[in-house]
Amino acid sequence: MLVLLPPSEGKAAGGSGAPLEPETLSLPGLAAARAAVLDELVELCAADELKAREVLGLSEGLRGEVAKNVELRSAVARPAGEIYTGVLYDALGLADLTPAARTAAEDALLVFSGLWGAVRITDRIPSYRCSMGVKLPGLGALGAYWREPMASVLPEAAGEGLVLDLRSSAYASAWKPKGEVAGRTATVRVLHAQVVDGVEKRSVVSHFNKATKGRLVRDLLLAGAAPASPAALVTALRDLGYVVEAEAPAKPGKSWSLDVVVTQIH
């Protein structure tokens, strides 16, 4: 099973250790693309803070993020599983997984990134600020930029098993499973169901959507579940107590769509 995750907007900073070693990152087929994004991002942030903030979509209060990007090559690097924070990662709780679940997480989880393309949770990276929605002056929109290198690297990373896609739309734009890989890919949407005036209404709640996805992955890992197909994933989630509505693809080359329906927001 390969689980595709979005990163977090905020990143943990500080700590001690060696700086980034790009050659050690997973998916070495992305190395050249990573180097190009890193070079332009560092150059942009070093040359013109105001322009950098405009490109990165940062307010005056976040100007420190620009300075942080300038130091990316020399800053402390830590495992990506420690760098990414926020609602989904709090719910996922990597730090207190059982040893078996942690090993499974290291094998299964792949975090998408505007700067790195995609990384494993064990890959050592510095704290940075560069979302997939950024449009760099030289390389252009990063979602589009990553499509070509991802197309040659991600199918191999997906192997022959289930691909569980939990990415937000901005990060999903960087790689869309195709052909045979798409047929064993399941995309998940979390819906909040509530009864209003006797009628059930469903809505997507961003914060809760992230938290539920984090808990869902955590529960699968702790249960030692290893579904090999979208249909098996539906069964595994239902066994774990989730209410899941599944829609198989209407034709080959399309992904499964799964709705996880919840009644309580927490």
Side-chain angles (χ1 to χ4, degrees):
M1 178 172 66
L2 183 69
V3 182
L4 311 181
L5 297 175
S8 57
E9 192 70 18
K11 317 284 191 306
S16 59
L20 173 71
E21 296 177 334
E23 69 278 5
T24 68
L25 297 179
S26 301
L27 308 180
L30 300 178
R34 286 168 176 153
V37 179
L38 179 62
D39 286 347
E40 183 168 355
L41 181 62
V42 171
E43 182 178 347
L44 170 69
C45 291
D48 188 332
E49 180 199 296
L50 187 60
K51 182 177 181 181
R53 284 201 287 112
E54 179 182 348
V55 170
L56 297 174
L58 301 176
S59 66
E60 170 71 22
L62 292 174
R63 62 188 303 175
E65 297 293 283
V66 175
K68 182 166 65 176
N69 281 348
V70 174
E71 305 298 329
L72 283 173
R73 293 191 181 90
S74 59
V76 170
R78 295 161 58 189
E82 298 176 13
I83 291 292
Y84 294 118
T85 59
V87 176
L88 187 153
Y89 291 90
D90 286 345
L92 176 53
L94 291 170
D96 62 358
L97 289 175
T98 63
R102 175 70 190 200
T103 297
E106 292 174 358
D107 290 338
L109 304 187
L110 194 65
V111 184
F112 276 62
S113 162
L115 174 54
W116 313 113
V119 292
R120 301 282 187 182
I121 61 170
T122 51
D123 285 332
R124 294 176 57 259
I125 58 174
S127 180
Y128 67 95
R129 190 64 170 251
C130 184
S131 72
M132 193 66 79
V134 164
K135 184 177 182 180
L136 291 175
L139 297 177
L142 290 176
Y145 169 79
W146 281 110
R147 285 174 200 156
E148 182 176 349
M150 290 283 191
S152 63
V153 172
L154 265 292
E156 181 179 354
E160 299 181 355
L162 169 71
V163 178
L164 174 53
D165 191 351
L166 303 178
R167 297 172 295 168
S168 56
S169 57
Y171 290 89
S173 70
W175 180 62
K176 183 178 180 180
K178 296 180 179 179
E180 183 270 334
V181 179
R184 48 187 168 86
T185 296
T187 61
V188 173
R189 180 175 62 166
V190 179
L191 297 178
H192 177 220
Q194 53 185 332
V195 177
V196 179
D197 297 329
V199 178
E200 182 183 85
K201 295 185 178 181
R202 296 180 175 184
S203 59
V204 177
V205 183
S206 179
H207 177 97
F208 185 62
N209 171 62
K210 295 174 184 177
T212 300
K213 287 179 176 178
R215 283 192 290 269
L216 180 152
V217 174
R218 179 181 177 86
D219 289 345
L220 287 170
L221 293 170
L222 288 174
S229 67
L233 172 65
V234 173
T235 299
L237 290 175
R238 288 174 176 167
D239 288 346
L240 289 168
Y242 288 92
V243 176
V244 182
E245 298 175 355
E247 182 179 344
K251 56 184 180 180
K254 300 293 183 181
S255 301
W256 283 60
S257 297
L258 272 58
D259 284 345
V260 176
V261 183
V262 297
T263 56
Q264 296 182 341
I265 295 179
H266 60 89

